[in-house]
Amino acid sequence: MTGAPRGGARGAARRLPGLLRLTWRAAPAAATGHLAVVAAGGLVPPAAAWVTKLLLDRLTGGGAVLAPVLALAVLGAVLAMTSHLTRYLDAQVRREVGLAMQDRLFASVNAFTGVRRFEDPRFLDRIRMAQQAGQTTPMQLVSAVFMGVQSALTLAGFVTALLVISAPMTAFVLVSALPLLLVELRLARRRAEFLWGTSPAARRQGLFAGLQTDVRAATEIRLYGLGGWFRERMLGETRAINRAERTLDRRVLGGQGGLALAGALVAGAGLVWAVLRVRAGVLTVGDIALFAAAVGGTQGSLEGIVARAADGYQALLVLAHYEAVVNAGPDLPAPAVRRRAPELRAGIELRDVWFRYADGHPWALRGISLTIPAGRATALVGRNGAGKSTLVKLLCRLYDPTRGAILWDGVDLRDIPPEELRERIGAVFQHPVGYDLTARENIGIGDLSALHDLDRIRAAAVRAGVDAKLAGLPDGYDTMLGREFFSDSDADGVMLSGGQWQRVALARAFLRDARDLLVLDEPGTGLDAAAEHAVHRRLREHRAGRTSLLISHRLSAVRDADAIVVLAGGEVAETGDHAALMRAGGEYAGLFRLQADGYRLDDTEEDPAAGPSPLTAR
Ligand SMILES: Nc1ncnc2c1ncn2[C@@H]1O[C@H](COP(=O)(O)OP(=O)(O)OP(=O)(O)O)[C@@H](O)[C@H]1O
């Protein structure tokens, strides 16, 4: 899923009916009105040319001129109105179609049940282009079709006029437009290729630009003097995009400039021919006015049709990215037979689970076999990169094992619809997200049914030790957290400290505590020693009799778990309770003693087996 979308002209043409259907469904009234106005706008210019000829002939040959003059005035008024009406209806259609496209795109993105696609930079490029395509290309395409219809009507009118004067000259003018069509279509393809080809550079440029204004990076960028370096990298990407764009512009200039010159020559030659025919007495003065308008009009409307066709073609090519995302399908295979996730009674079994993030990557998990028994507290420990968080992500089915299976009371996780599985899990991840939402919402999103239940939200916040802080904010629980506030009235929004954010994330998980499995991946990250101690104490109480999986580098926090699993290099190195592992004198005992030594006030004062107290940390 990384190549440029294929399909060429045929693929592009296949996309057109679907988009027109979507337009019709999204904005039927505006689309009909638009088409009517466009048709009127298309017929006015040739009609005006005919009436002008009539007027000139009557002026030179005699006859009543009031009717043609009035007709010209009416046609002028219609023409003046069509452009305004077109703009208005265009915007109406654009908004409705844009909304429908956005809805469809994000419904598809949210239907990706795993996270692998969000780690693929090319897929992210595609989503970005799909977003752009969703906003601009439908209208580009609809306009192309509508304006193409308008130009075609104008063309029909002028061709009729030209045919009256000279059939060979009509054929000459029409055939001279063919190269224009070919050149414009090729340029449209080049433009679409340019957009896809420069999208990695555009992504990097956005990344470097964003970093320079990102509050999380602001401190380090200033401290390390990185501003100029990031600016230069951003400009480097912009220059690369500009170079590619310049090359494209030169091609456009060469192609379109040459054709414009050829068009002028054709029109000039036609005019000379018409003047000679007037001299010979074959054509009237009115005919020459009609001829000049018809040649110009035919060429103009042909150019219009070709330009619209090229615009539409380019839009359809770019739309291929949108389609690729919308039609990407599930990223994790859907269960052949959907099984319900039963209430957890026996436990979760990992059976010879192997996992790597991509082909060619090293194994993150190597043949893990273990059971997380229901109603017991299991702890997972190990050095950095041992595979702890990976194992948790597999348990939540954000990825599927590359080999082996995970069984929920004997049911393979792959047979359980992910949303149902996740309904049964409460989790705090290592790097929880702080949302630019109110304090209430930041906790409430842990269980959307509790979003308006302030009592439940506060109870969770009390347990996470953050209620006093949130209640004391300028608007209490309705204060905006984060930095991107939605409106002026949110100007009282506040930033939280890292540890406070962690507590908010904990409260979010506590809101889901009635679930079958509670997963806590480093819940103490960023908490001060007293807070961490208190949180772990509460978690201990809470975990009693429930199924939980706790990951922590602070071994004192896991020592009372029913079972401790030690991971090393993606494998289970040892399993047992604290006492058994200490007796075994392996990896766990080594790490525990190392940590206990760091907490001991002096070498003789404390028994390592009594465990480190965060309150005595130095
Ligand atoms: N999204 C990812 N893509 C590719 N490799 C990854 C990804 N996430 C983790 N890894 C790799 O998988 C291995 C295990 O990582 P994991 O995060 O599971 O370790 P961990 O035991 O949780 O470590 P820590 O204690 O540092 O949090 C590491 O070698 C890491 O580089």
Side-chain angles (χ1 to χ4, degrees):
M1 179 47 91
T2 51
R6 292 175 208 292
R10 215 171 314 138
R14 238 183 301 118
R15 260 164 247 136
L16 185 58
L19 193 90
L20 292 179
R21 253 197 318 275
L22 185 136
T23 306
W24 177 250
R25 254 186 256 129
T32 313
H34 200 321
L35 203 57
V37 171
V38 153
L43 291 172
V44 166
W50 276 103
V51 177
T52 307
K53 165 194 154 50
L54 201 69
L55 180 64
L56 288 176
D57 283 346
R58 287 190 181 173
L59 279 175
T60 51
V65 294
L66 185 61
V69 167
L70 282 179
L72 271 182
V74 170
L75 288 172
V78 171
L79 199 62
M81 277 311 292
T82 52
S83 63
H84 297 294
L85 275 173
T86 302
R87 211 172 309 135
Y88 172 76
L89 292 168
D90 210 57
Q92 290 279 94
V93 178
R94 177 171 45 77
R95 279 190 289 269
E96 295 305 323
V97 175
L99 186 70
M101 297 280 286
Q102 197 179 35
D103 180 25
R104 205 166 146 228
L105 176 68
F106 282 92
S108 304
V109 168
N110 286 322
F112 301 153
T113 45
V115 294
R116 205 184 281 280
R117 288 209 174 114
F118 300 99
E119 294 171 345
D120 175 356
R122 257 343 223 165
F123 196 81
L124 291 181
D125 281 344
R126 184 151 287 172
I127 292 181
R128 203 167 46 79
M129 286 201 64
Q131 268 180 278
Q132 281 172 12
Q135 281 164 9
T136 56
T137 52
M139 209 48 233
Q140 219 176 327
L141 204 62
V142 171
S143 291
V145 171
F146 284 6
M147 299 314 278
V149 168
Q150 187 175 57
S151 299
L153 289 171
T154 310
L155 178 70
F158 281 128
V159 165
T160 313
L162 259 184
L163 275 173
V164 169
I165 295 166
S166 163
M169 189 49 80
T170 311
F172 179 56
V173 172
L174 286 177
V175 168
S176 69
L178 273 183
L180 184 69
L181 181 66
L182 298 178
V183 169
E184 283 289 357
L185 289 182
R186 182 172 308 166
L187 287 177
R189 171 160 276 280
R190 287 256 155 83
R191 273 189 222 109
E193 283 167 0
F194 159 80
L195 287 176
W196 177 243
T198 53
S199 63
R203 167 168 35 93
R204 290 190 294 268
Q205 184 225 40
L207 185 83
F208 293 134
L211 274 175
Q212 291 169 72
T213 53
D214 186 341
V215 66
R216 284 161 302 182
T219 310
E220 204 159 292
I221 285 179
R222 268 139 199 84
L223 210 59
Y224 296 162
L226 299 176
W229 188 69
F230 279 127
R231 195 185 74 242
E232 209 29 66
R233 293 200 66 172
M234 174 190 73
L235 293 178
E237 301 295 348
T238 310
R239 284 188 200 106
I241 296 170
N242 286 352
R243 267 196 304 278
E245 199 170 5
R246 201 175 308 124
T247 308
L248 178 68
D249 284 351
R250 285 198 184 125
R251 286 211 170 103
V252 172
L253 181 65
Q256 290 182 338
L259 288 168
L261 218 56
L265 284 176
V266 170
L271 195 62
V272 170
W273 171 85
V275 169
L276 291 175
R277 303 287 281 176
V278 173
R279 275 276 165 84
V282 182
L283 295 180
T284 65
V285 175
D287 285 337
I288 207 168
L290 178 59
F291 179 80
V295 170
T298 303
Q299 284 187 328
S301 43
L302 272 174
E303 271 171 30
I305 290 173
V306 168
R308 297 301 155 223
D311 276 358
Y313 180 49
Q314 182 189 331
L316 285 170
L317 289 174
V318 173
L319 213 60
H321 297 288
Y322 181 92
E323 285 215 329
V325 176
V326 166
N327 298 328
D331 53 338
L332 296 175
V337 187
R338 283 166 72 95
R339 313 253 321 254
R340 293 188 58 76
E343 194 180 316
L344 193 65
R345 292 188 187 283
I348 302 163
E349 183 194 350
L350 284 87
R351 202 178 277 172
D352 192 25
V353 169
W354 291 74
F355 179 75
R356 59 179 164 199
Y357 282 92
D359 294 342
H361 278 212
W363 291 103
L365 299 178
R366 308 162 160 269
I368 301 265
S369 290
L370 64 91
T371 299
I372 300 165
R376 314 294 290 273
T378 305
L380 205 54
V381 301
R383 297 171 190 237
N384 292 136
K388 306 180 292 296
S389 299
T390 304
L391 194 150
V392 164
K393 287 188 249 175
L394 262 63
L395 277 183
C396 301
R397 206 176 169 224
L398 297 171
Y399 304 88
D400 280 336
T402 315
R403 285 192 228 148
I406 303 178
L407 308 170
W408 176 283
D409 267 359
V411 180
D412 194 314
L413 287 195
R414 285 169 288 212
D415 293 337
I416 302 172
E419 60 284 359
E420 203 174 298
L421 172 72
R422 289 167 195 164
E423 265 301 299
R424 298 205 165 269
I425 299 177
V428 176
F429 286 103
Q430 207 171 6
H431 304 291
V433 179
Y435 295 91
D436 287 315
L437 297 171
T438 63
R440 185 170 53 80
E441 289 166 333
N442 254 294
I443 296 175
I445 53 175
D447 181 350
L448 284 176
S449 68
L451 201 56
H452 301 293
D453 187 344
L454 192 56
D455 291 341
R456 262 185 79 191
I457 288 174
R458 287 197 70 165
V462 168
R463 285 175 55 196
V466 71
D467 175 61
K469 168 73 190 170
L470 299 180
L473 293 175
D475 283 327
Y477 274 75
D478 287 321
T479 308
M480 285 296 300
L481 305 182
R483 64 198 175 94
E484 286 173 29
F485 309 123
F486 290 121
S487 69
D488 292 346
S489 60
D490 299 326
D492 285 339
V494 294
M495 298 274 286
L496 293 186
S497 75
Q500 287 162 346
W501 271 121
Q502 184 71 12
R503 293 178 199 215
V504 168
L506 268 172
R508 202 180 291 155
F510 285 147
L511 218 48
R512 299 173 73 88
D513 65 356
R515 315 289 154 133
D516 296 43
L517 172 69
L518 182 65
V519 179
L520 299 152
D521 189 352
E522 290 289 354
T525 306
L527 298 186
D528 61 65
E532 190 181 354
H533 183 70
V535 161
H536 278 300
R537 186 170 42 77
R538 283 200 199 105
L539 283 174
R540 248 192 307 275
E541 291 160 12
H542 176 72
R543 283 179 3 231
R546 297 175 189 237
T547 316
S548 67
L549 182 69
L550 169 66
I551 297 178
S552 180
H553 286 294
R554 192 179 289 270
L555 299 184
S556 64
V558 304
R559 56 176 291 166
D560 61 345
D562 298 309
I564 300 170
V565 178
V566 184
L567 288 189
E571 292 175 292
V572 176
E574 3 175 37
T575 321
D577 63 12
H578 172 78
L581 290 174
M582 288 306 286
R583 274 196 306 277
E587 168 105 358
Y588 177 83
L591 286 173
F592 191 87
R593 289 210 174 87
L594 206 64
Q595 228 173 53
D597 282 348
Y599 284 98
R600 203 176 283 141
L601 291 172
D602 66 54
D603 282 353
T604 55
E605 223 170 295
E606 221 173 343
D607 169 13
S613 158
L615 293 172
T616 57
R618 294 187 290 200

